[in-house]
Amino acid sequence: MVDTMLRLRALLRHTRPSRNAPRPAGFVPHGLARDALARNGLVPDGLVPRGFVPDGLVPDDEVLLDAPDGRLSPVLAAAGRGEHGPAAALLAGTREAAEWEARDGYVRRLALFARSRGEWFDAWCAAAPDSPDVLLVGAQLAVDRDWASPARAELLRRAAPSVAAATAGGGGDPVPWRIALDHARGVRAGHAAFERLWVEAVRRAPHHYGCHVAALRYLAGACGFEGTSRAECHRECFDFAERAAQDALPGSLVQALPVRAAHAYLTARRSGPAVPRERLDAAADRALALSAGYAPADPWPAEVRNLLVHVLVRLRRWEDALEQLRLIGPCATSFPWEREGEDPLARFLHVRAGVRLRVASGLPPGAGGPRPARPRGARDPYPPGDRTGRSGPRDH
């Protein structure tokens, strides 16, 4: 026991404290086995201590996956009791106040909830079949239901009437057009058809984050489609994302679009000329600046911060990754972690522990680290429901 404590204290003396964080006081026990950490490349074998530095991170048992915000939580509780009134009031409020980003996230989560517990939504449809909010949730639900199927393109064509009804009744709302963009990607619509939808979307909200993400996913999925090479595809993704970020308002989540392009590149099977490291780092730096403008543990930028950690780990920027993990606090998100296994929360905690140990070890950059991999058989890393909740098994 004495030898163990001496070794841990010696390790602490070489730990470099991260920005805005107190120097670690010691190690606390953790359930991850040291051999499992080394086996997965989180830190080199023989340098994994039997605990790790707290470093301002919340305990594992306080981390929640896709936790709803204060407005959505009571609505989901009411829906669980079969009541649709709170959901109707929430979406009507976002529509009247033109809170398009919040509306987009709430629609995704309500559609996700309706997939498993749909009685409340059936009652809402019966009570207000022509409500633009009902049509919107119905369109999202219709697209989500068939997204994970191997016959997705064929099955999603059946959702076209629901999507068309939502866009027809949406007025100035861009969210129906975000759903239409996702639907077009799912049925493998050509560029011309997609561009017509994109024009309608940006005419309603030029800087809507959800629509920009849908467009970027379409571009990322176009590799090898309509004669587009992988190298051209990734270059087009970065060009689109960087232009959108430059035009975005300060604090807009569209500022994070380049880091999404970086994630698509870093997790793809690549061929042809590589994207320069400087461009990847610039994407991460822009997302870091965006994240710094939000409060710690804020659920709104949580998905961007989770995605940014994934990219920083790939780039082996360990201290930046640890700082983002502090800012994430208890707000883990399914995307991007569910791409790497059936339990995204476990994967998040596993990578978090590895990053913490990697910084505590004081090893030089590039000496080992998490190596997340795309699971075999994964068809599409970007389903339509990855903004605030899971849309299907291993979809993200």
Side-chain angles (χ1 to χ4, degrees):
M1 180 65 178
V2 173
D3 290 343
T4 299
M5 291 305 299
L6 288 174
R7 186 174 69 252
L8 297 183
R9 288 170 182 165
L11 181 59
L12 277 174
R13 283 197 296 271
H14 295 287
T15 301
R16 290 171 294 171
S18 296
R19 200 168 51 244
N20 301 324
R23 180 175 292 276
F27 287 90
V28 295
H30 187 266
L32 287 175
R34 58 181 294 170
D35 58 340
L37 288 169
R39 185 170 61 250
N40 285 279
L42 291 166
V43 292
D45 194 11
L47 292 173
V48 183
R50 295 186 182 276
F52 59 88
V53 184
D55 266 344
L57 302 183
V58 300
D60 287 6
D61 58 5
E62 293 183 13
V63 178
L64 302 174
L65 186 70
D66 300 326
D69 66 16
R71 297 170 72 185
L72 182 61
S73 183
V75 170
L76 293 178
R81 299 190 297 268
E83 303 169 13
H84 65 269
L90 176 66
L91 290 190
T94 60
R95 175 165 41 85
E96 292 164 4
E99 296 179 272
W100 305 132
E101 303 291 5
R103 180 175 175 81
D104 200 350
Y106 294 150
V107 164
R108 295 175 193 266
R109 289 299 294 269
L110 290 169
L112 176 64
F113 194 79
R115 289 182 65 186
S116 58
R117 303 186 64 176
E119 300 83 359
W120 65 276
F121 184 63
D122 293 338
W124 190 11
C125 290
D130 297 324
S131 163
D133 305 319
V134 166
L135 294 175
L136 190 58
V137 176
Q140 183 71 65
L141 182 58
V143 171
D144 287 351
R145 277 174 174 156
D146 295 323
W147 195 268
S149 170
R152 178 177 66 201
E154 179 180 350
L155 293 174
L156 279 177
R157 292 187 177 92
R158 303 181 306 185
S162 295
V163 176
T167 56
D173 182 0
V175 182
W177 297 95
R178 191 272 305 158
I179 297 174
L181 291 169
D182 281 333
H183 179 263
R185 176 169 58 95
V187 299
R188 295 180 67 83
H191 284 303
F194 191 89
E195 287 172 3
R196 286 194 292 271
L197 298 174
W198 173 249
V199 169
E200 293 292 338
V202 297
R203 183 167 68 85
R204 287 161 173 80
H207 304 292
H208 180 58
Y209 177 61
C211 290
H212 279 80
V213 171
L216 183 64
R217 290 175 186 153
Y218 179 86
L219 294 174
C223 295
F225 181 48
E226 292 192 347
T228 305
S229 71
R230 291 188 182 277
E232 291 171 332
C233 169
H234 291 303
R235 183 168 58 250
E236 188 174 359
C237 284
F238 272 93
D239 289 346
F240 170 78
E242 289 166 355
R243 285 195 302 269
Q246 288 168 4
D247 294 339
L249 297 173
S252 168
L253 295 184
V254 176
Q255 296 279 351
L257 217 58
V259 88
R260 281 187 170 269
H263 177 262
Y265 171 75
L266 290 168
T267 57
R269 294 186 178 91
R270 300 190 295 274
S271 61
V275 172
R277 170 66 188 241
E278 293 78 10
R279 202 170 193 182
L280 299 172
D281 280 325
D285 290 342
R286 186 186 288 273
L288 285 167
L290 173 69
S291 175
Y294 285 94
D298 187 340
W300 180 244
E303 186 188 84
V304 165
R305 285 170 168 166
N306 277 254
L307 179 65
L308 178 55
V309 168
H310 197 279
V311 169
L312 291 169
V313 164
R314 288 276 183 156
L315 298 177
R316 299 190 176 189
R317 292 175 57 171
W318 310 112
E319 294 193 13
D320 285 333
L322 184 60
E323 177 63 22
Q324 289 308 299
L325 288 165
R326 290 194 192 96
L327 292 173
I328 286 169
C331 300
T333 57
S334 290
F335 178 75
W337 309 110
E338 75 171 358
R339 294 189 64 202
E340 299 169 7
E342 298 291 349
D343 189 341
L345 179 57
R347 179 59 183 168
F348 170 82
L349 294 174
H350 184 71
V351 171
R352 190 177 79 147
V355 170
R356 175 160 36 188
L357 286 167
R358 177 62 183 77
V359 173
S361 71
L363 296 172
R371 297 182 179 91
R374 181 175 178 176
R376 292 182 179 179
R379 291 179 295 277
D380 185 359
Y382 305 115
D386 80 355
R387 173 65 182 84
T388 54
R390 302 174 68 177
S391 65
R394 299 176 71 173
D395 272 340
H396 294 277

